Amino acid sequence: MDQPSLYDDDIVTWAEQQAAALRALGERGDLSNALDWENVAEEIESVGRSQIHAVQRLLTQVMAHLLKYLSAPASPALRHWRAEILAFQVSAAAHFGWSMRQRLDLDAMWARAVAMADAGLIAYGEALLPNVPRRCPLRLEDLVAEPFDADAALQTIAASLVRRPDTDA
């Protein structure tokens, strides 16, 4: 094969196209019914879904570790968290394909990351920053950028902390 395959560039789109082609073949009466067309198509689609889920998990870990890093700057785990941020991000960027864009719910991932960071900080006797926004302050483009700018991501989160009016006033 002289040309790069869509399989290598965008496995989600490749899986969807292959599954559609198999379903179309399965509808043809002149082909053998020995192949379970629908289930084979479903299995191929699951390849794309598993890639999406992998990227979701990795980006959620990136966000959770960013939150921990920002919440507990004096923690002995700070260097570990930074290394984890970078390792998870590199892996997410490597698995990311632009066709995933519409399938990744940053706000849902952010909510999971907030819960994970909160639970993880307890192990170090730390607490999550107050007033963490409900919506993800980070852009997908920044999260999957190569190279990734962890400091800019930290600054974006810090700037997004919800300011609540002083209740004593």
Side-chain angles (χ1 to χ4, degrees):
M1 184 182 294
D2 292 342
Q3 298 178 358
S5 168
L6 188 57
Y7 179 89
D8 297 322
D9 295 335
D10 186 351
I11 197 162
V12 174
T13 300
W14 173 87
E16 290 172 348
Q17 288 177 353
Q18 296 302 305
L22 284 171
R23 286 188 177 100
L25 286 172
E27 292 175 4
R28 288 182 44 187
D30 62 327
L31 295 178
S32 168
N33 286 331
L35 188 61
D36 185 350
W37 297 100
E38 183 57 34
N39 283 322
V40 171
E42 193 60 39
E43 287 299 317
I44 289 174
E45 281 179 331
S46 75
V47 170
R49 284 192 303 271
S50 70
Q51 289 294 312
I52 292 168
H53 293 146
V55 170
Q56 286 174 332
R57 283 189 302 274
L58 291 163
L59 291 179
T60 300
Q61 287 286 357
V62 169
M63 291 186 274
H65 281 73
L66 287 165
L67 284 164
K68 288 193 266 188
Y69 189 95
L70 205 56
S71 296
S75 173
L78 203 63
R79 286 184 182 166
H80 171 74
W81 291 335
R82 185 156 186 107
E84 292 283 87
I85 290 165
L86 299 174
F88 288 131
Q89 192 280 333
V90 165
S91 190
H95 288 89
F96 178 76
W98 285 107
S99 65
M100 295 180 187
R101 179 184 194 86
Q102 300 303 320
R103 296 168 178 96
L104 295 173
D105 183 346
L106 282 180
D107 291 335
M109 292 164 35
W110 177 255
R112 286 191 297 275
V114 169
M116 290 167 57
D118 190 37
L121 285 164
I122 291 170
Y124 293 95
E126 301 285 354
L128 191 63
L129 287 167
N131 305 324
V132 172
R134 292 180 187 211
R135 296 188 55 114
C136 181
L138 302 166
R139 297 177 334 131
L140 181 59
E141 295 80 13
D142 298 329
L143 285 168
V144 297
E146 296 180 88
F148 177 63
D149 188 344
D151 292 323
L154 289 164
Q155 289 172 355
T156 298
I157 294 170
S160 74
L161 297 176
V162 178
R163 308 282 190 261
R164 295 202 174 118
D166 187 16
T167 55
D168 294 333

PDB file of all heavy atoms in Angstrom, residues 66 70 110 133 136-139 142 149-161:
ATOM      1  N   LEU A  66      -3.754  18.132  37.007  1.00  0.00           N
ATOM      2  CA  LEU A  66      -3.606  19.592  37.001  1.00  0.00           C
ATOM      3  C   LEU A  66      -4.267  20.194  38.233  1.00  0.00           C
ATOM      4  O   LEU A  66      -3.709  21.082  38.886  1.00  0.00           O
ATOM      5  CB  LEU A  66      -4.219  20.191  35.723  1.00  0.00           C
ATOM      6  CG  LEU A  66      -3.451  19.986  34.429  1.00  0.00           C
ATOM      7  CD1 LEU A  66      -4.341  20.307  33.219  1.00  0.00           C
ATOM      8  CD2 LEU A  66      -2.182  20.836  34.392  1.00  0.00           C
ATOM      9  N   LEU A  70      -2.355  22.197  41.264  1.00  0.00           N
ATOM     10  CA  LEU A  70      -2.736  23.565  41.603  1.00  0.00           C
ATOM     11  C   LEU A  70      -3.248  23.673  43.037  1.00  0.00           C
ATOM     12  O   LEU A  70      -3.005  24.673  43.717  1.00  0.00           O
ATOM     13  CB  LEU A  70      -3.821  24.032  40.622  1.00  0.00           C
ATOM     14  CG  LEU A  70      -3.994  25.496  40.359  1.00  0.00           C
ATOM     15  CD1 LEU A  70      -2.701  26.133  39.888  1.00  0.00           C
ATOM     16  CD2 LEU A  70      -5.067  25.695  39.301  1.00  0.00           C
ATOM     17  N   TRP A 110     -14.367  16.865  32.891  1.00  0.00           N
ATOM     18  CA  TRP A 110     -13.952  17.795  33.948  1.00  0.00           C
ATOM     19  C   TRP A 110     -14.607  17.412  35.279  1.00  0.00           C
ATOM     20  O   TRP A 110     -13.947  17.387  36.318  1.00  0.00           O
ATOM     21  CB  TRP A 110     -14.316  19.219  33.541  1.00  0.00           C
ATOM     22  CG  TRP A 110     -14.013  20.255  34.568  1.00  0.00           C
ATOM     23  CD1 TRP A 110     -14.912  20.905  35.375  1.00  0.00           C
ATOM     24  CD2 TRP A 110     -12.731  20.795  34.912  1.00  0.00           C
ATOM     25  NE1 TRP A 110     -14.261  21.810  36.188  1.00  0.00           N
ATOM     26  CE2 TRP A 110     -12.915  21.761  35.921  1.00  0.00           C
ATOM     27  CE3 TRP A 110     -11.438  20.551  34.453  1.00  0.00           C
ATOM     28  CZ2 TRP A 110     -11.865  22.477  36.489  1.00  0.00           C
ATOM     29  CZ3 TRP A 110     -10.386  21.274  35.022  1.00  0.00           C
ATOM     30  CH2 TRP A 110     -10.611  22.221  36.024  1.00  0.00           C
ATOM     31  N   PRO A 133     -14.717  25.724  38.921  1.00  0.00           N
ATOM     32  CA  PRO A 133     -15.875  25.889  38.036  1.00  0.00           C
ATOM     33  C   PRO A 133     -16.513  24.549  37.666  1.00  0.00           C
ATOM     34  O   PRO A 133     -15.841  23.520  37.667  1.00  0.00           O
ATOM     35  CB  PRO A 133     -15.285  26.573  36.801  1.00  0.00           C
ATOM     36  CG  PRO A 133     -13.842  26.223  36.815  1.00  0.00           C
ATOM     37  CD  PRO A 133     -13.464  26.080  38.263  1.00  0.00           C
ATOM     38  N   CYS A 136     -15.645  22.913  32.179  1.00  0.00           N
ATOM     39  CA  CYS A 136     -14.212  22.788  31.933  1.00  0.00           C
ATOM     40  C   CYS A 136     -13.659  24.094  31.374  1.00  0.00           C
ATOM     41  O   CYS A 136     -14.130  24.583  30.350  1.00  0.00           O
ATOM     42  CB  CYS A 136     -13.949  21.650  30.950  1.00  0.00           C
ATOM     43  SG  CYS A 136     -12.202  21.405  30.620  1.00  0.00           S
ATOM     44  N   PRO A 137     -12.654  24.666  32.020  1.00  0.00           N
ATOM     45  CA  PRO A 137     -12.079  25.920  31.536  1.00  0.00           C
ATOM     46  C   PRO A 137     -11.049  25.721  30.416  1.00  0.00           C
ATOM     47  O   PRO A 137     -10.603  26.679  29.800  1.00  0.00           O
ATOM     48  CB  PRO A 137     -11.409  26.496  32.783  1.00  0.00           C
ATOM     49  CG  PRO A 137     -11.025  25.292  33.574  1.00  0.00           C
ATOM     50  CD  PRO A 137     -12.107  24.267  33.324  1.00  0.00           C
ATOM     51  N   LEU A 138     -10.681  24.481  30.166  1.00  0.00           N
ATOM     52  CA  LEU A 138      -9.642  24.183  29.180  1.00  0.00           C
ATOM     53  C   LEU A 138     -10.256  23.873  27.815  1.00  0.00           C
ATOM     54  O   LEU A 138     -11.353  23.333  27.731  1.00  0.00           O
ATOM     55  CB  LEU A 138      -8.802  22.996  29.657  1.00  0.00           C
ATOM     56  CG  LEU A 138      -8.130  23.195  31.012  1.00  0.00           C
ATOM     57  CD1 LEU A 138      -7.621  21.870  31.551  1.00  0.00           C
ATOM     58  CD2 LEU A 138      -7.007  24.217  30.889  1.00  0.00           C
ATOM     59  N   ARG A 139      -9.518  24.200  26.783  1.00  0.00           N
ATOM     60  CA  ARG A 139      -9.967  23.899  25.419  1.00  0.00           C
ATOM     61  C   ARG A 139      -9.338  22.586  24.967  1.00  0.00           C
ATOM     62  O   ARG A 139      -8.192  22.298  25.287  1.00  0.00           O
ATOM     63  CB  ARG A 139      -9.556  25.012  24.462  1.00  0.00           C
ATOM     64  CG  ARG A 139     -10.182  26.366  24.772  1.00  0.00           C
ATOM     65  CD  ARG A 139      -9.713  27.501  23.874  1.00  0.00           C
ATOM     66  NE  ARG A 139      -8.397  27.303  23.314  1.00  0.00           N
ATOM     67  CZ  ARG A 139      -8.100  27.457  22.011  1.00  0.00           C
ATOM     68  NH1 ARG A 139      -9.003  27.843  21.160  1.00  0.00           N
ATOM     69  NH2 ARG A 139      -6.862  27.261  21.576  1.00  0.00           N
ATOM     70  N   ASP A 142      -5.979  22.816  23.317  1.00  0.00           N
ATOM     71  CA  ASP A 142      -4.843  22.982  24.216  1.00  0.00           C
ATOM     72  C   ASP A 142      -4.473  21.662  24.898  1.00  0.00           C
ATOM     73  O   ASP A 142      -3.300  21.378  25.112  1.00  0.00           O
ATOM     74  CB  ASP A 142      -5.145  24.052  25.265  1.00  0.00           C
ATOM     75  CG  ASP A 142      -5.394  25.417  24.630  1.00  0.00           C
ATOM     76  OD1 ASP A 142      -4.801  25.702  23.571  1.00  0.00           O
ATOM     77  OD2 ASP A 142      -6.198  26.192  25.187  1.00  0.00           O
ATOM     78  N   ASP A 149       1.487  22.687  26.861  1.00  0.00           N
ATOM     79  CA  ASP A 149       1.957  23.722  27.777  1.00  0.00           C
ATOM     80  C   ASP A 149       1.231  23.570  29.112  1.00  0.00           C
ATOM     81  O   ASP A 149       0.156  24.135  29.329  1.00  0.00           O
ATOM     82  CB  ASP A 149       1.706  25.108  27.169  1.00  0.00           C
ATOM     83  CG  ASP A 149       2.347  26.239  27.962  1.00  0.00           C
ATOM     84  OD1 ASP A 149       2.731  26.025  29.128  1.00  0.00           O
ATOM     85  OD2 ASP A 149       2.454  27.344  27.395  1.00  0.00           O
ATOM     86  N   ALA A 150       1.819  22.786  30.000  1.00  0.00           N
ATOM     87  CA  ALA A 150       1.205  22.514  31.301  1.00  0.00           C
ATOM     88  C   ALA A 150       1.045  23.791  32.118  1.00  0.00           C
ATOM     89  O   ALA A 150       0.038  23.967  32.809  1.00  0.00           O
ATOM     90  CB  ALA A 150       2.027  21.490  32.075  1.00  0.00           C
ATOM     91  N   ASP A 151       2.022  24.690  32.026  1.00  0.00           N
ATOM     92  CA  ASP A 151       1.931  25.931  32.799  1.00  0.00           C
ATOM     93  C   ASP A 151       0.758  26.789  32.330  1.00  0.00           C
ATOM     94  O   ASP A 151       0.054  27.375  33.153  1.00  0.00           O
ATOM     95  CB  ASP A 151       3.243  26.709  32.715  1.00  0.00           C
ATOM     96  CG  ASP A 151       4.373  25.981  33.429  1.00  0.00           C
ATOM     97  OD1 ASP A 151       4.114  25.368  34.481  1.00  0.00           O
ATOM     98  OD2 ASP A 151       5.507  26.007  32.904  1.00  0.00           O
ATOM     99  N   ALA A 152       0.535  26.846  31.035  1.00  0.00           N
ATOM    100  CA  ALA A 152      -0.610  27.604  30.515  1.00  0.00           C
ATOM    101  C   ALA A 152      -1.918  26.965  30.964  1.00  0.00           C
ATOM    102  O   ALA A 152      -2.872  27.673  31.319  1.00  0.00           O
ATOM    103  CB  ALA A 152      -0.546  27.683  28.990  1.00  0.00           C
ATOM    104  N   ALA A 153      -1.976  25.638  30.983  1.00  0.00           N
ATOM    105  CA  ALA A 153      -3.181  24.951  31.449  1.00  0.00           C
ATOM    106  C   ALA A 153      -3.432  25.256  32.927  1.00  0.00           C
ATOM    107  O   ALA A 153      -4.572  25.518  33.326  1.00  0.00           O
ATOM    108  CB  ALA A 153      -3.051  23.450  31.223  1.00  0.00           C
ATOM    109  N   LEU A 154      -2.376  25.244  33.720  1.00  0.00           N
ATOM    110  CA  LEU A 154      -2.506  25.578  35.139  1.00  0.00           C
ATOM    111  C   LEU A 154      -2.999  27.018  35.321  1.00  0.00           C
ATOM    112  O   LEU A 154      -3.863  27.289  36.160  1.00  0.00           O
ATOM    113  CB  LEU A 154      -1.173  25.374  35.856  1.00  0.00           C
ATOM    114  CG  LEU A 154      -0.734  23.918  36.033  1.00  0.00           C
ATOM    115  CD1 LEU A 154       0.740  23.836  36.383  1.00  0.00           C
ATOM    116  CD2 LEU A 154      -1.593  23.226  37.079  1.00  0.00           C
ATOM    117  N   GLN A 155      -2.461  27.932  34.529  1.00  0.00           N
ATOM    118  CA  GLN A 155      -2.886  29.333  34.613  1.00  0.00           C
ATOM    119  C   GLN A 155      -4.345  29.501  34.198  1.00  0.00           C
ATOM    120  O   GLN A 155      -5.088  30.269  34.812  1.00  0.00           O
ATOM    121  CB  GLN A 155      -1.989  30.206  33.730  1.00  0.00           C
ATOM    122  CG  GLN A 155      -0.600  30.369  34.277  1.00  0.00           C
ATOM    123  CD  GLN A 155       0.334  31.075  33.303  1.00  0.00           C
ATOM    124  OE1 GLN A 155      -0.012  31.369  32.167  1.00  0.00           O
ATOM    125  NE2 GLN A 155       1.555  31.340  33.763  1.00  0.00           N
ATOM    126  N   THR A 156      -4.769  28.754  33.181  1.00  0.00           N
ATOM    127  CA  THR A 156      -6.162  28.825  32.735  1.00  0.00           C
ATOM    128  C   THR A 156      -7.105  28.358  33.836  1.00  0.00           C
ATOM    129  O   THR A 156      -8.129  28.991  34.109  1.00  0.00           O
ATOM    130  CB  THR A 156      -6.373  27.981  31.458  1.00  0.00           C
ATOM    131  OG1 THR A 156      -5.549  28.515  30.419  1.00  0.00           O
ATOM    132  CG2 THR A 156      -7.824  27.974  31.017  1.00  0.00           C
ATOM    133  N   ILE A 157      -6.743  27.258  34.482  1.00  0.00           N
ATOM    134  CA  ILE A 157      -7.585  26.755  35.572  1.00  0.00           C
ATOM    135  C   ILE A 157      -7.599  27.763  36.720  1.00  0.00           C
ATOM    136  O   ILE A 157      -8.665  28.077  37.266  1.00  0.00           O
ATOM    137  CB  ILE A 157      -7.103  25.374  36.053  1.00  0.00           C
ATOM    138  CG1 ILE A 157      -7.286  24.329  34.950  1.00  0.00           C
ATOM    139  CG2 ILE A 157      -7.858  24.954  37.321  1.00  0.00           C
ATOM    140  CD1 ILE A 157      -6.615  23.002  35.241  1.00  0.00           C
ATOM    141  N   ALA A 158      -6.445  28.267  37.096  1.00  0.00           N
ATOM    142  CA  ALA A 158      -6.365  29.232  38.203  1.00  0.00           C
ATOM    143  C   ALA A 158      -7.214  30.467  37.908  1.00  0.00           C
ATOM    144  O   ALA A 158      -7.911  30.979  38.789  1.00  0.00           O
ATOM    145  CB  ALA A 158      -4.912  29.625  38.459  1.00  0.00           C
ATOM    146  N   ALA A 159      -7.174  30.939  36.675  1.00  0.00           N
ATOM    147  CA  ALA A 159      -7.946  32.126  36.299  1.00  0.00           C
ATOM    148  C   ALA A 159      -9.445  31.854  36.275  1.00  0.00           C
ATOM    149  O   ALA A 159     -10.253  32.783  36.364  1.00  0.00           O
ATOM    150  CB  ALA A 159      -7.488  32.637  34.932  1.00  0.00           C
ATOM    151  N   SER A 160      -9.823  30.587  36.172  1.00  0.00           N
ATOM    152  CA  SER A 160     -11.241  30.249  36.045  1.00  0.00           C
ATOM    153  C   SER A 160     -11.936  30.022  37.383  1.00  0.00           C
ATOM    154  O   SER A 160     -13.153  29.827  37.404  1.00  0.00           O
ATOM    155  CB  SER A 160     -11.396  28.979  35.214  1.00  0.00           C
ATOM    156  OG  SER A 160     -10.998  27.845  35.972  1.00  0.00           O
ATOM    157  N   LEU A 161     -11.174  30.014  38.463  1.00  0.00           N
ATOM    158  CA  LEU A 161     -11.793  29.743  39.753  1.00  0.00           C
ATOM    159  C   LEU A 161     -12.930  30.723  39.994  1.00  0.00           C
ATOM    160  O   LEU A 161     -12.756  31.935  39.860  1.00  0.00           O
ATOM    161  CB  LEU A 161     -10.762  29.820  40.878  1.00  0.00           C
ATOM    162  CG  LEU A 161      -9.649  28.771  40.782  1.00  0.00           C
ATOM    163  CD1 LEU A 161      -8.625  28.993  41.878  1.00  0.00           C
ATOM    164  CD2 LEU A 161     -10.217  27.369  40.832  1.00  0.00           C
TER     165      LEU A 161
END
